[in-house]
Amino acid sequence: MRRRALLGAGATVLGAGALTAAGWPLLSRYAREGLPGKVMTSRAELPAAFRTPLPIPRVLEPVSSNGTTDTYELTQQHAELEILPGLRTAAWTYGGTFPGPTIVSRSGRRTVVRHRNELDRPAVVHLHGGHTPAASDGYPTSLILPADGSYDAHRVHQDMTGGPHGHAMGHGAMDLAEGSRTYTYPFDQRAATLWYHDHRMSYTGAAVWMGLAGFHLVHDDEEERLPLPRGDRDIPLMITDRSFAADGSFQYPWLDAQLRTPGVTDAYMNGVLGDVILVNGAPWPVHQVRRLRYRLRLLNASNARLYKLQLDPQPEGGGGFVQIGSDGGLLDAPRRHDTLEIAPAERFDVVVDFSRYRPGTRVRLLNRFGDGSTAQVMRFDVGSGSPRDDTTVPGKLSDVPRLDPGRATVTRDFHFRGSDVGWTINGTEYEPGNSLARPALGQVEIWRFTTNFHHPIHVHLDHFQVLSRNNRDIGPFDHGWKDTVDLRPAEAVEIVTRFTDYPGTYMLHCHNLEHEDMAMMADFTTA
C-alpha cells in the first residue's frame, strides 16, 4: 500500500487538472477547509439542478403485528434505477429502491426485521443509532450470505482478508447466515431519526455507495405531545454524493472491480467524494412547500463528504434552521443556526418556517463547503397564500438528563491516526475479536478521542454526550445525545457515556467509510 505518499500530502488533495478544467479555483473550498476525500468526476452528462421533484421514501408496512411486536420483511436485491434522466443505474437496494423504504417504529414496542439477501455478495445490516442486543447490532462479520448459495466460508474469508486492504481474521470470527437473517430491535429508547445501512467488513463504503441505506424512525409519546410539524410536513432528507460513469452506472474507485479484494485505489484512501449531490436518491431536487413550518430530518449518508448547509436567501433576522433534535432524539430546548455543519452519519432534526418568506420565493439549500456542482443541495419553492399554521416550536422540548462526568470510574483514550501503518485506532488496525475496551454495564465512563486527521467517530450501542473540545466548551453542533461526533485534525474531544442493558461485543469506528473499510475500527465488549 502506498500510504506514505498520501498521508504525507495532508488531509485533502483534489485533482487539480479536473478542477481547473471545470473552471474552479485550483484548490477547492472543500480542500481549503482541510476536509477529507478526493473527488471522482462524473463522465455522464449531468442534469440541470432543481428539475426533479423530491422523492419521499415509501413507508414499509409490517407483514404481521401482535400486542408487542411488528414484523417486517426486506429483500436486498439488484435494481435498475433512473437517477440521472434517460440513464439507468445498477444499484444494490433494500426492496428495490434507493434509499430503501422507511421503517417507522414505536418506542417500547419490539420491531423485528427479516432481511433476505438476493444480491450476489454477502451483506450485514446495522441499525445506526439503535440501542440493540449484540446479536442484532450488525457486527461486520455477522454475514447474510447470498440466497443462491454462491458463497461459502472459504470464499468469504478470501474476500475479507485478501489484498493490501484486507483485515487480519480467523475463520472462527465469522457468523454466517444462509440467505436471510432476522434482526430484533426492542426499542427501549426515545424517539429519534435512525438509519440502517450495510456494515460488512472491508466493503461498507462500496455497499453504501451502491445504495444500501434507508431511514428508520422511532416515535414516542413525549415527541407526539409537542406541536411540531407532522404528516407531509415531516420530511426525511438523506443527503449523499455520487459520481456516474457515461452509461449512468455508479462510479467507484474499486481496487478490484470483481470485489474479490477489498478497498479502493490509493488516490481515494482518504475518502471518496462524488460531484453529484443526491437527496433521497434524486439529483439536486426541488420540493413545493406551503408558507408553514416544516420538520426536516437531515441525514448525511455520504461516504466521506462533510456539508455546511445554509438557506439562500436567509430569512430576515437569520436563524433559519431551528434545531430540535440530534442523533439521539430531541434536544432539551431549540437552538437556532444560520448554518449546519454535518459530518457523515450525523443527523439534525430542524424546523424551517417558510412563512418567513414571501410567496414565490425559491429557497436553495446550499453547501458552503462545496464548489461548482457540489455547492447546492436542493431547492424549496414557497407557495402563495398564508394558510393557518397550527404548529410551533416550544421553548422546552424534552428533559435531557446530563451524565455526570464526576461519577466516571474510567477514562479511556482512543487515538485515531493515519500513518504508513494504515488507518489505526491506538496504533492497531482492526482485528475482529480484539476488544480495546471492556466497559461494565451501567458504569459512567469518559472517552477521549484524539486525531491527526479528520474523522467522524461513531459509537455503537448507546448514545453519548460531548463534554469538551480541546479542553474548552463543546461546539455549536455537539448538543444533545449523539452517536457520531465530528473529530477535526489535531483535536481532542471528550465524551461521557454509559452502556446499558446488553452484554456483548460492539463497535467503535470512523464513519468515513473508506477509513472504516481500511481498518479504522475497534471492538469493545460490555458485561
Side-chain angles (χ1 to χ4, degrees):
M1 296 176 67
R2 295 183 295 277
R3 291 184 170 105
R4 190 183 303 273
L6 167 76
L7 299 170
T12 308
V13 178
L14 294 173
L19 292 173
T20 54
W24 297 1
L26 182 61
L27 192 63
S28 77
R29 178 180 295 169
Y30 191 89
R32 291 197 304 272
E33 294 284 345
L35 301 175
K38 177 179 172 63
V39 172
M40 287 202 78
T41 303
S42 292
R43 298 190 179 98
E45 182 178 350
L46 301 182
F50 317 134
R51 301 288 179 86
T52 304
L54 173 72
I56 305 298
R58 69 183 175 94
V59 174
L60 191 65
E61 295 293 329
V63 295
S64 66
S65 295
N66 59 32
T68 62
T69 304
D70 298 311
T71 299
Y72 297 84
E73 293 181 349
L74 260 180
T75 299
Q76 301 173 23
Q77 62 193 82
H78 295 280
E80 294 281 335
L81 308 177
E82 185 171 335
I83 297 175
L84 303 181
L87 296 175
R88 306 299 291 178
T89 300
W92 308 346
T93 72
Y94 295 113
T97 64
F98 171 58
T102 298
I103 301 175
V104 179
S105 295
R106 187 86 188 172
S107 177
R109 183 174 172 80
R110 184 185 300 111
T111 291
V112 173
V113 186
R114 290 196 292 262
H115 278 267
R116 177 175 172 81
N117 182 6
E118 293 186 357
L119 298 169
D120 58 356
R121 62 199 72 252
V124 174
V125 182
H126 171 54
L127 178 60
H128 187 117
H131 181 60
T132 303
S136 294
D137 186 57
Y139 191 73
T141 60
S142 295
L143 304 178
I144 314 171
L145 299 183
D148 65 6
S150 59
Y151 268 76
D152 59 17
H154 178 70
R155 182 175 175 187
V156 169
H157 188 269
Q158 283 186 319
D159 284 1
M160 287 188 173
T161 60
H165 300 292
H167 299 246
M169 184 179 70
H171 285 276
M174 294 185 293
D175 170 23
L176 306 182
E178 299 282 348
S180 66
R181 187 184 291 272
T182 298
Y183 296 84
T184 300
Y185 307 125
F187 282 122
D188 183 16
Q189 63 185 102
R190 61 208 295 261
T193 300
L194 312 183
W195 63 302
Y196 62 99
H197 60 80
D198 193 83
H199 207 268
R200 179 189 173 197
M201 194 174 89
S202 304
Y203 295 92
T204 298
V208 173
W209 187 274
M210 292 296 292
L212 291 176
F215 279 100
H216 196 138
L217 309 182
V218 183
H219 297 299
D220 65 10
D221 292 343
E222 178 188 48
E223 177 197 53
E224 291 186 350
R225 282 194 295 265
L226 298 175
L228 298 172
R230 61 189 65 196
D232 64 357
R233 290 157 56 198
D234 181 353
I235 306 174
L237 298 176
M238 179 185 289
I239 303 173
T240 61
D241 60 336
R242 297 289 186 270
S243 66
F244 294 85
D247 63 357
S249 60
F250 285 131
Q251 215 168 222
Y252 189 76
W254 324 94
L255 189 65
D256 170 13
Q258 300 303 312
L259 292 185
R260 298 295 181 87
T261 301
V264 294
T265 56
D266 285 357
Y268 293 92
M269 283 179 53
N270 201 18
V272 183
L273 309 177
D275 58 357
V276 178
I277 305 299
L278 305 177
V279 183
N280 293 348
W284 306 287
V286 60
H287 189 61
Q288 306 291 325
V289 296
R290 292 168 285 171
R291 298 186 67 239
L292 298 168
R293 294 181 188 88
Y294 283 72
R295 178 178 182 174
L296 308 179
R297 299 174 183 261
L298 300 167
L299 160 64
N300 180 355
S302 297
N303 281 32
R305 183 181 290 279
L306 290 88
Y307 299 86
K308 185 174 184 177
L309 303 177
Q310 181 180 348
L311 297 172
D312 177 44
Q314 291 265 31
E316 186 175 350
F321 296 120
V322 180
Q323 185 187 359
I324 60 170
S326 188
D327 301 336
L330 292 170
L331 303 181
D332 56 353
R335 305 184 65 85
R336 294 184 177 274
H337 303 283
D338 290 327
T339 61
L340 289 173
E341 295 185 20
I342 180 169
E346 286 189 300
R347 284 91 69 210
F348 287 88
D349 278 11
V350 300
V351 172
V352 175
D353 186 355
F354 288 104
S355 72
R356 300 175 69 186
Y357 293 98
R358 295 179 178 177
T361 305
R362 294 178 170 181
V363 183
R364 294 185 300 161
L365 182 61
L366 301 181
N367 172 27
R368 290 301 191 185
F369 283 159
D371 290 281
S373 63
T374 64
Q376 51 193 3
V377 176
M378 64 173 295
R379 194 177 76 194
F380 300 94
D381 288 356
V382 181
S384 59
S386 299
R388 180 179 177 274
D389 195 339
D390 58 357
T391 70
T392 189
V393 179
K396 180 177 180 179
L397 297 167
S398 177
D399 290 314
V400 182
R402 294 292 299 175
L403 292 178
D404 181 3
R407 297 182 59 192
T409 58
V410 175
T411 297
R412 304 184 191 272
D413 287 288
F414 298 93
H415 307 292
F416 294 78
R417 293 289 186 268
S419 70
D420 55 359
V421 175
W423 297 114
T424 65
I425 302 177
N426 290 355
T428 63
E429 294 186 333
Y430 179 59
E431 181 179 350
N434 179 26
S435 287
L436 295 190
R438 295 184 178 275
L441 291 174
Q443 176 176 280
V444 177
E445 298 197 357
I446 293 173
W447 287 15
R448 183 184 298 117
F449 304 143
T450 59
T451 183
N452 61 346
F453 270 58
H454 206 130
H455 302 291
I457 308 304
H458 174 46
V459 179
H460 289 211
L461 178 57
D462 275 281
H463 291 86
F464 55 79
Q465 294 168 349
V466 182
L467 290 177
S468 67
R469 286 184 180 268
N470 289 336
N471 295 317
R472 299 185 179 91
D473 288 341
I474 66 175
F477 313 116
D478 292 334
H479 293 271
W481 289 103
K482 300 282 291 176
D483 59 48
T484 306
V485 63
D486 187 26
L487 187 62
R488 303 182 183 97
E491 189 170 51
V493 170
E494 283 191 332
I495 68 167
V496 59
T497 189
R498 181 179 60 211
F499 299 105
T500 60
D501 296 328
Y502 306 122
T505 298
Y506 293 89
M507 303 294 304
L508 161 74
H509 61 85
C510 178
H511 220 282
N512 178 319
L513 298 185
E514 282 68 47
H515 295 183
E516 175 184 337
D517 281 347
M518 290 178 283
M520 190 168 261
M521 299 194 295
D523 287 355
F524 66 90
T525 300
T526 58

